[in-house]
Structures are given as C-alpha cells and as structure tokens.
C-alpha cells in the first residue's frame, strides 16, 4: 500500500529559491532509497482559520510562506528502511535547510484512497 511522508514548513519568503534548491538537492537521495516522487508546494492561497489553520500550525511569522510537500513511497517498509539509511547519509547534512526546522510539521500516512 502506498505511503506518504508529508511536511508543512514555514519558509522565509525571501528563501523560496533556496528552498527549491534544497529540495532539488535532496530529491535524488530519496529516490535513490526507493521514493517514487517528491512534491513541493508553495502557499498561494492559505486562508486564516477560525480555530486553526496552516499558519497557526507552524507559528508563521511575518515575511514567511507556508510550504507543503510530500514524498511518495511504494509502501511503509520501503519508507522505514530508507529513512534509516537517510539519517546516516552525510550528504543530507552537507546542505543547510533554508527554513526553521523546529517549526516543521511532518508525519507518515498510509494512502487509503487514491482516485
């Protein structure tokens, strides 16, 4: 069953190009370990919610934009094995993250419907 790693990240708006460069740099490593695709999205229509929303979730600050991304895996076993190897891969640590990773939200999801 397909599996997704999903992230919601506050990115300084001025760092959009650096964020995309970071994603272009890291994508081959995910694919090397079995990811089928990596998708990055830049917030264009991110409304304020009454109780909660994407901005509140990442404690968005002035001058930042919400980015959402996901890594598609063929199954959870592939994903789990990949992350074990990726966490030891020194190439990932060689590239600075152009965002505040402490406010990044991430989780893994089993795909239960893909229409």
């Amino acid at each position: 069953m397909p599996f997704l790693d999903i992230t919601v990240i506050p990115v300084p708006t001025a760092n959009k190009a650096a964020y995309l460069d970071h994603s272009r740099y890291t994508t081959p490593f995910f694919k090397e370990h079995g990811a089928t695709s990596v998708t990055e999205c830049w917030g264009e229509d991110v409304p304020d919610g009454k109780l909660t929303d994407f901005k509140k979730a990442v404690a968005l600050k002035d001058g930042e934009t919400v980015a959402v991304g996901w890594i598609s895996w063929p199954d959870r076993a592939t994903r789990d094995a990949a992350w074990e190897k990726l966490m030891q891969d020194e190439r990932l640590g060689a590239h600075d993250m152009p965002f505040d990773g402490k406010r990044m939200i991430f989780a893994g999801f089993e795909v239960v419907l893909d229409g």
Side-chain angles (χ1 to χ4, degrees), residues 1 3 7 13 17 21-24 27 29 42 44 50 54-55 57 67 71 74 83 89 107-109 112:
M1 177 116 1
F3 199 83
T7 59
T13 304
D21 287 345
H22 176 74
S23 294
R24 287 184 189 104
T27 292
F29 304 129
W42 192 254
E44 290 292 325
K50 291 184 181 182
F54 280 102
K55 295 173 191 174
I71 304 168
W83 275 111
D89 192 327
F109 296 85
V112 294

Side-chain angles (χ1 to χ4, degrees), residues 38-92:
V38 176
T39 303
E40 297 290 353
C41 305
W42 192 254
E44 290 292 325
D45 182 17
V46 184
D48 294 328
K50 291 184 181 182
L51 182 59
T52 190
D53 58 39
F54 280 102
K55 295 173 191 174
K56 291 180 184 101
V58 296
L60 196 72
K61 298 176 182 176
D62 286 340
E64 293 181 331
T65 300
V66 175
V68 174
W70 58 89
I71 304 168
S72 300
W73 303 95
D75 52 55
R76 181 162 183 187
T78 301
R79 178 264 203 167
D80 289 350
W83 275 111
E84 192 170 316
K85 293 173 187 169
L86 287 162
M87 289 296 99
Q88 298 173 19
D89 192 327
E90 294 178 3
R91 298 173 297 173
L92 285 176

